[in-house]
Amino acid sequence: SEKDLEAHFERTIERDQRVEPRDWVPDGYRKTMIRQIAQHAHSEIIGMQPEGNWITRAPSLRRKAILLAKVQDEAGHGLYLYSAAATLGADRADLTDKLITGRQKYSSIFNYPTLSFADVGVIGWLVDGAAICNQVPLCRSSYGPYARSMIRICKEESFHQRQGFELLMTMMRGTGGQREMVQEAVDRWWWPSLMMFGPPDADSPNTAQSMAWKVKRHTNDELRQRFVDMSVPQAAALGVTLPDPELRWNPDRGHHDFGAIDWAEFKEILKGNGPCNAQRIEHRRRAHDDGAWVREAAAAHASKKGEK
Ligand code: ACO
């Protein structure tokens, strides 16, 4: 009966076991998982654009090869995640449609422009660094296919983070002009990276339920703090200044205090009014339209094979 199924689900969560595709789950759990996985998948796919912007203008063949590989990895992450969403009954074409009609979200961070090649390094260091901080605990998320996809994604993200840091190290050892480029990029990306973790806990409608279901293992503020604490020594090693005059070690808390985040900016971005929202969606829509012939050909091929 429904009651037994529900009890089984509750026990699975309680014992820290994984929920698998054929298991009965409450409607709310399915909805939450599809929402989070779809938003995550969309972020990976939209996230190809800001850095893709620099592939044709990379300063050397080596940097171009690295960047190409990295952007291709993001496409791969998107595909594992759409597949994970499909195990919950979501339809991939429907998810894409929801993305390009603005009915599903993707990460706020990808609505900022990439103005210099230093942005490639800073995205690797800070944006991928924040992504790892958020996603490593998701390797223990209660939904099996999502948790397993996170393991591989986190390994690749760690490589991305290191390539970003190495690129910045190289630039910081370069000319004064290169060091200025890095600092200027850090100034633009620091605060948006803190926003990636989502609204403060008090304004996060989904956290309590997602923690109870062990979909999320930490709150938004916990992970944001972890990221700040992690980034401070890395900034010192690089020789850049994080653009927050209130950032300092608090020995009582055992954490860094930091300044107030501009949540009005975050809300505007979520409403679609960020600097690049329209451009990102338009680009994705065009890519989808341009790919129509591939989907048609694949469908025709599949139906011919079916006839045989
Ligand atoms: N950008 C866009 N939307 C966001 C962001 C963000 N940075 N943070 C939160 N939101 C949205 C939530 O999706 C939610 O909207 P919805 O209810 O319409 O779906 C709303 O703001 C309120 O936030 P929360 O209640 O805190 O939502 P949630 O519990 O889902 O937590 C979080 C948000 C932390 C992003 C969570 O969904 C998560 O961990 N997702 C997986 C990681 C991910 O998506 N990463 C993508 C960027 S990293 C990368 O791809 C390189």
Side-chain angles (χ1 to χ4, degrees):
S1 74
E2 181 108 341
K3 252 208 153 89
D4 293 336
L5 291 168
E6 190 161 359
H8 178 75
F9 171 80
E10 296 294 344
R11 258 201 319 278
T12 303
I13 300 290
E14 208 173 288
R15 291 178 183 165
D16 249 331
Q17 290 166 336
R18 296 285 163 270
V19 175
E20 295 298 338
R22 283 187 203 83
D23 294 345
W24 181 93
V25 295
D27 286 343
Y29 182 89
R30 187 179 304 278
K31 253 180 88 184
T32 287
M33 285 320 306
I34 292 177
R35 178 183 65 78
Q36 178 164 330
I37 298 173
Q39 177 184 306
H40 195 163
H42 297 331
S43 302
E44 301 283 359
I45 297 299
I46 295 284
M48 295 168 74
Q49 293 182 41
E51 289 178 281
N53 182 37
W54 283 96
I55 290 172
T56 56
R57 291 173 291 163
S60 69
L61 184 59
R62 176 169 172 268
R63 291 290 169 198
K64 181 169 175 152
I66 293 171
L67 186 54
L68 258 177
K70 194 205 147 171
V71 172
Q72 283 181 354
D73 284 351
E74 308 292 357
H77 298 173
L79 297 184
Y80 318 150
L81 287 163
Y82 284 128
S83 300
T87 66
L88 289 153
D91 174 64
R92 165 108 175 261
D94 179 52
L95 297 180
T96 300
D97 190 58
K98 285 187 169 129
L99 169 66
I100 61 185
T101 53
R103 284 176 295 151
Q104 269 173 351
K105 297 186 169 84
Y106 58 92
S107 182
S108 51
I109 194 73
F110 301 120
N111 293 303
Y112 293 88
T114 41
L115 303 179
S116 87
F117 196 74
D119 289 28
V120 171
V122 173
I123 289 176
W125 173 39
L126 293 179
V127 174
D128 296 334
I132 294 165
C133 209
N134 164 268
Q135 288 168 32
V136 164
L138 294 175
C139 295
R140 294 185 300 118
S141 188
S142 58
Y143 190 58
Y146 187 47
R148 288 189 289 275
S149 73
M150 278 306 123
I151 295 172
R152 175 157 171 182
I153 290 177
C154 285
K155 283 183 184 163
E156 294 180 353
E157 290 294 353
S158 302
F159 158 69
H160 295 172
Q161 207 241 358
R162 281 167 157 255
Q163 72 80 33
F165 197 79
E166 189 266 349
L167 164 51
L168 296 180
M169 272 293 191
T170 304
M171 290 186 80
M172 291 304 285
R173 282 195 296 260
T175 64
Q178 284 176 304
R179 280 190 288 279
E180 268 168 40
M181 275 170 76
V182 174
Q183 183 62 56
E184 190 269 337
V186 170
D187 290 346
R188 280 184 289 109
W189 289 95
W190 173 248
W191 291 105
S193 299
L194 297 188
M195 294 176 198
M196 283 175 72
F197 295 91
D201 294 349
D203 300 327
S204 164
N206 302 305
T207 293
Q209 180 62 75
S210 287
M211 297 276 287
W213 278 328
K214 298 182 182 171
V215 169
K216 284 167 85 163
R217 295 290 187 156
H218 303 279
T219 71
N220 300 354
D221 286 331
E222 282 166 14
L223 293 173
R224 189 171 8 252
Q225 181 70 61
R226 189 180 286 186
F227 175 70
V228 171
D229 291 339
M230 216 174 79
S231 300
V232 168
Q234 294 174 355
L238 270 176
V240 297
T241 308
L242 296 173
D244 179 359
E246 290 172 55
L247 184 62
R248 67 178 60 85
W249 178 250
N250 181 332
D252 298 331
R253 290 203 309 124
H255 291 291
H256 292 85
D257 290 339
F258 54 98
I261 294 170
D262 183 356
W263 292 112
E265 176 179 316
F266 177 74
K267 283 185 190 141
E268 277 306 302
I269 293 213
L270 259 58
K271 275 197 262 167
N273 301 328
C276 299
N277 292 59
Q279 179 189 333
R280 298 290 183 242
I281 291 293
E282 180 47 34
H283 186 96
R284 182 70 195 88
R285 192 200 315 269
R286 213 176 329 117
H288 186 66
D289 291 347
D290 289 348
W293 70 273
V294 179
R295 294 188 295 278
E296 279 160 25
H301 180 69
S303 82
K304 262 194 205 162
K305 262 182 117 177
E307 275 166 33
K308 274 186 200 159

